[in-house]
Amino acid sequence: MSNLTKIFENKKVFIPFVVANDPDFDTTVENIITLAKNGADIVELGIPFSDPVADGPVIQSADLRAFKAGVTTERVFEIISEVRKHSDIPLVLLSYLNIPFKYGYEKFLKRCADLNISGIVIPDLPLESRDEIAPIANDYDIDIIPLITPTSGHRIKEIAEAASGFIYVVSSLGITGQRDNFSEHLADLITNIRKYTDVPTAIGFGIHTPKQATSMAKIADGVIVGSAFVDIIGKQGRNSETELANLAKEIATAIK
Ligand SMILES: O=P(O)(O)OC[C@@H](O)[C@@H](O)c1c[nH]c2ccccc12
């Protein structure tokens, strides 16, 4: 069983997301450590990208701040290397496919393995292209986390059967960012996934309050919260620690 899957064995899993190098190198290191100390079970770290097609305005702005502060793929790895001097928190990267493609899959995944990165979410990697990267990732014990959306339909079976680590269940169509309402079919979507696999599920997209986290944790094995944390960083910059810690604690408590 993969390291990521094990984390889900006897608890609901909380996965906050932040963007690497937003607003700068040192703050990202501190923010990841803050989240780890305040209830995160896994931290999802975004590699900034110039065309983040699945992202809403909050994360797009974070990517821009990260670029302004001089982010490169190499720098993201250096941030993680610095985190690893202080914390062994399980890490998952969020990366559009172009980034590992350009870096070279083999080299990218080796670097990830050396830094004890457990998985990668690649939102623009369709099932049909999974074999481009998944076998190499597998050699390094890194999970390529698949996404299932409310419109995955007949593809669910195949995606679920190929999954390892956990399955990222996208709560609703559209882009990342806060939502006030969720489809009542989400529970059915997860029941459907569970027909095909024991790999755990984590729901993300739009979740920003502890109350929403509580209801999502009732239907899935984990909850992913991105824009709510990134928004704090957008507003507080280098002084985000207290607010990040408070929201993380509230959400971690809300899903237990
Ligand atoms: O920001 P939200 O709505 O809380 O959604 C999670 C999300 O930020 C994170 O998992 C993510 C950031 N960028 C993405 C692109 C695609 C899928 C997922 C993501």
Side-chain angles (χ1 to χ4, degrees):
M1 189 188 288
S2 96
N3 288 338
L4 282 177
T5 305
K6 277 189 202 130
I7 302 171
F8 289 78
E9 271 193 315
N10 40 32
K11 61 177 172 200
K12 297 289 179 177
V13 168
F14 167 41
I15 312 174
F17 165 91
V18 292
V19 172
N21 214 50
D22 169 34
D24 58 35
F25 186 105
D26 292 341
T27 310
T28 308
V29 174
E30 284 161 21
N31 289 346
I32 294 170
I33 294 167
T34 297
L35 294 167
K37 282 186 182 155
N38 288 281
D41 298 299
I42 299 168
V43 172
E44 185 189 6
L45 183 67
I47 305 187
F49 188 53
S50 54
D51 290 283
V53 290
D55 283 296
V58 169
I59 293 174
Q60 282 182 27
S61 306
D63 284 358
L64 291 177
R65 290 191 293 272
F67 280 119
K68 218 173 141 192
V71 76
T72 59
T73 306
E74 209 46 59
R75 208 168 160 80
V76 175
F77 286 130
E78 283 161 18
I79 288 172
I80 298 165
S81 172
E82 192 57 37
V83 169
R84 283 289 177 244
K85 293 179 188 160
H86 310 277
S87 171
D88 57 6
I89 182 80
L91 288 173
V92 164
L93 292 178
L94 180 290
S95 177
Y96 289 87
L97 185 62
N98 187 264
I99 290 164
F101 175 75
K102 235 178 95 191
Y103 198 89
Y105 292 147
E106 175 72 35
K107 195 173 147 211
F108 188 92
L109 287 156
K110 178 168 192 326
R111 199 76 206 276
C112 289
D114 290 344
L115 292 167
N116 196 17
I117 290 166
S118 308
I120 312 177
V121 182
I122 308 176
D124 56 350
L125 179 74
L127 177 67
E128 291 70 18
S129 306
R130 191 179 159 83
D131 281 352
E132 238 180 74
I133 186 165
I136 310 170
N138 195 42
D139 287 345
Y140 286 107
D141 284 327
I142 294 169
D143 295 307
I144 301 296
I145 312 299
L147 295 98
I148 288 181
T149 77
T151 55
S152 291
H154 66 277
R155 296 161 60 84
I156 291 174
K157 178 175 188 286
E158 235 184 309
I159 299 172
E161 285 174 352
S164 69
F166 65 91
I167 294 172
Y168 193 129
V169 179
V170 175
S171 73
S172 32
L173 301 182
I175 50 182
T176 57
Q178 75 177 52
R179 285 168 177 61
D180 293 326
N181 297 298
F182 295 93
S183 151
E184 69 265 28
H185 301 301
L186 265 179
D188 295 339
L189 178 62
I190 290 175
T191 307
N192 196 10
I193 295 169
R194 286 184 178 146
K195 282 197 277 186
Y196 305 111
T197 182
D198 291 332
V199 172
T201 55
I203 305 190
F205 267 53
I207 304 162
H208 62 109
T209 66
K211 199 164 161 242
Q212 289 174 329
T214 302
S215 49
M216 292 302 177
K218 287 198 178 115
I219 58 176
D221 307 305
V223 174
I224 303 163
V225 179
S227 297
F229 288 102
V230 176
D231 196 38
I232 292 173
I233 297 166
K235 289 177 177 142
Q236 307 286 330
R238 294 194 181 86
N239 308 310
S240 305
E241 188 176 340
T242 312
E243 277 196 46
L244 288 183
N246 287 343
L247 182 62
K249 269 188 256 176
E250 281 181 54
I251 293 177
T253 311
I255 69 167
K256 296 303 170 204

